[in-house]
Amino acid sequence: MRLFGREIRSQPKTVYSLDDKKFAKLLGIELDDVSADKAKEATFYACLRIMTDSVSKLPLKLHKSTEDGTTKENGHYLYNLMKLRPNPFMSSSTFWKMVEFQRLYYGHSVVAINHHPIGKDAGKVKSLVPLEMDNVEIWIDDKGILGEESNPIYYIYTDRNGKQYKFKNSEVLHFLGMTKDGIQGMAIKDYLKTLIDNAQASTAYTNNYLRNGLHSKGIISYVGDLDEGKQKALQERFKRLAGGVSNSGSLLPLPIGFDYKSISTSMADAQFKELSELSIQEIASAFGVKPHQINSLEQSTHSNIEHQQKEFYVETLQPILTQYEQELTYKLLTSQEVNDGYFFRFNVDVILRSDSKERAEYITTLVEKGVITSNEARGLIDMPKLEGGDKLIVNGSYIPIDLVGTQYGNHQAIEGGDDK
């Protein structure tokens, strides 16, 4: 449907189950010989789980930056809305898990902003509702038909009853994956189509190899002539005696005058393992997932796993979180609040929770260097404040450089006087 001067490709209206063969065909994969429930590519879905779990476990906080520093604004109404329950049906963790899944799977995720219509809270954000991306279309009024600002963007959502809703750009949060125009995202499954196809084919190859009892295909030679009926009977007999997992490793009886020669390429000859590992690594690389996170440990050691984990945060998570924080700050806060220094930020410190020793050393260093107070440090590990813990402390031997030596009463030496 072309409503405006320019049309942007929309998501298909048909809803597919993950177990439907039509779903696989969306990826360009034919499943005529493999049931859909067995054909899901493990690495693709494992990477989706890793990414969604990584984002969903990070608490989102509202902060305010002032001349005196940055503070948590837990008294603001948006603080608990974003921290606990963005809408009545989802916890904050579930909300971000769904948003990140759709951003990766469809290339972008759209969240409707529901405001209070009337009353003392009129205009404030009431809830945030992620839209099903199967039913979202993006329209651009580049001809100015609606007479509003230049090239306004609209998001058209069709619910399951066929009712349509129109949202302006300011009425939704729009999170993108890879994009070439800043409006429409590119789904990972689109540019991984060939890799997923190869991985699916390797799964089918393995299953077929096991179903045949690890028994290779071959030629049975016989000195003589067999009509078509006897050939089929002979094939069925050999399948019954040699095929299937139950016959794996058993002896193959051959009648006198028959000879069997294998013509199949083995999994080793086909470099099956190497090719499978290559597909796994390329799929993980497209997501930004590190090898150790998908149990590919051939090149991993204890030291470089820690380094890879830090790379995962810096190279993969940080750009995603920055996009989320900027969109939330711009769309949910008023212009006055932004000017006053309010902003959203994910608490990435939880990434270090799994390493208690490293986290303890990090907090101790901040306290000893006078960066945070003892009570602020206790707050980071969810412990109550103590009396007298609101003062910054440092090592007593630290003094300004121009006073070095004064603690020994050596004033004259410092000032260049007589040292007699």
Side-chain angles (χ1 to χ4, degrees), residues 124-349:
K124 291 185 176 181
V125 177
K126 181 179 180 181
S127 63
L128 301 175
V129 182
L131 303 180
E132 296 177 89
M133 293 306 299
D134 281 316
N135 303 322
V136 175
E137 297 181 55
I138 302 178
W139 293 351
I140 295 183
D141 183 15
D142 63 329
K143 297 296 185 183
I145 295 176
L146 299 182
E148 300 183 18
E149 67 273 15
S150 176
N151 295 335
I153 302 174
Y154 295 92
Y155 301 83
I156 310 301
Y157 174 68
T158 306
D159 66 17
R160 297 182 181 181
N161 297 320
K163 185 176 180 180
Q164 289 191 330
Y165 301 85
K166 183 183 74 172
F167 297 94
K168 294 181 179 180
N169 186 45
S170 59
E171 297 173 332
V172 299
L173 300 170
H174 190 193
F175 306 113
L176 291 167
M178 288 185 62
T179 178
K180 61 182 180 180
D181 59 7
I183 299 173
Q184 188 81 3
M186 180 186 296
I188 282 186
K189 66 177 185 293
D190 289 342
Y191 59 87
L192 281 181
K193 177 177 175 293
T194 301
L195 282 177
I196 296 176
D197 196 356
N198 292 341
Q200 296 279 12
S202 68
T203 301
Y205 178 82
T206 303
N207 291 341
N208 185 63
Y209 198 69
L210 293 174
R211 280 200 300 268
N212 289 330
L214 307 180
H215 185 73
S216 299
K217 295 179 181 179
I219 296 176
I220 298 175
S221 60
Y222 170 69
V223 180
D225 189 18
L226 293 176
D227 59 32
E228 185 175 347
K230 290 182 179 180
Q231 289 177 13
K232 290 183 178 179
L234 184 61
Q235 287 177 339
E236 293 298 325
R237 180 182 179 186
F238 273 88
K239 285 182 181 179
R240 184 174 66 255
L241 294 175
V245 177
S246 61
N247 291 320
S248 178
S250 62
L251 294 175
L252 176 63
L254 287 175
I256 297 175
F258 285 79
D259 184 26
Y260 176 83
K261 294 181 180 179
S262 175
I263 61 171
S264 286
T265 302
S266 68
M267 297 179 77
D269 293 335
Q271 294 185 306
F272 178 82
K273 182 176 182 293
E274 292 79 0
L275 292 175
S276 296
E277 289 177 353
L278 180 61
S279 294
I280 289 172
Q281 292 171 9
E282 289 178 332
I283 292 173
S285 177
F287 281 92
V289 170
K290 301 304 176 183
H292 75 276
Q293 294 176 293
I294 53 173
N295 295 324
S296 180
L297 304 176
E298 289 79 3
Q299 305 284 330
S300 298
T301 64
H302 178 74
S303 58
N304 69 20
I305 282 180
E306 182 181 358
H307 181 67
Q308 288 178 36
Q309 191 65 22
K310 291 179 180 178
E311 281 187 343
F312 175 69
Y313 164 66
V314 174
E315 298 174 2
T316 303
L317 279 186
Q318 194 171 31
I320 297 171
L321 300 179
T322 299
Q323 175 192 179
Y324 285 152
E325 292 165 353
Q326 291 175 348
E327 184 77 352
L328 291 168
T329 299
Y330 183 75
K331 294 286 184 68
L332 299 186
L333 299 175
T334 64
S335 299
Q336 184 61 48
E337 288 173 332
V338 173
N339 292 334
D340 289 341
Y342 285 89
F343 63 93
F344 283 100
R345 176 172 293 170
F346 284 93
N347 180 16
V348 297
D349 289 340

Side-chain angles (χ1 to χ4, degrees), residues 3-49:
L3 182 63
F4 303 128
R6 185 172 114 202
E7 183 182 61
I8 287 186
R9 180 174 57 87
S10 62
Q11 300 291 341
K13 293 290 188 64
T14 306
V15 179
Y16 297 107
S17 166
L18 292 180
D19 296 323
D20 197 330
K21 287 189 177 183
K22 292 181 179 179
F23 168 77
K25 288 185 177 180
L26 290 177
L27 309 181
I29 302 169
E30 296 294 338
L31 299 180
D32 294 334
D33 298 324
V34 184
S35 59
D37 60 329
K38 295 180 181 178
K40 296 175 184 175
E41 210 300 298
T43 305
F44 180 75
Y45 285 93
C47 290
L48 282 174
R49 179 191 61 78

Side-chain angles (χ1 to χ4, degrees), residues 389-407:
D390 292 322
K391 295 182 178 181
L392 293 173
I393 59 174
V394 294
N395 192 312
S397 63
Y398 295 160
I399 60 174
I401 193 170
D402 58 342
L403 297 180
V404 173
T406 58
Q407 67 269 43

Side-chain angles (χ1 to χ4, degrees), residues 357-378:
K357 181 181 179 181
E358 183 178 341
R359 180 172 172 80
E361 292 175 350
Y362 168 72
I363 294 175
T364 300
T365 300
L366 293 179
V367 174
E368 291 179 346
K369 299 297 183 182
V371 178
I372 62 175
T373 66
S374 297
N375 278 340
E376 288 172 332
R378 294 174 65 86

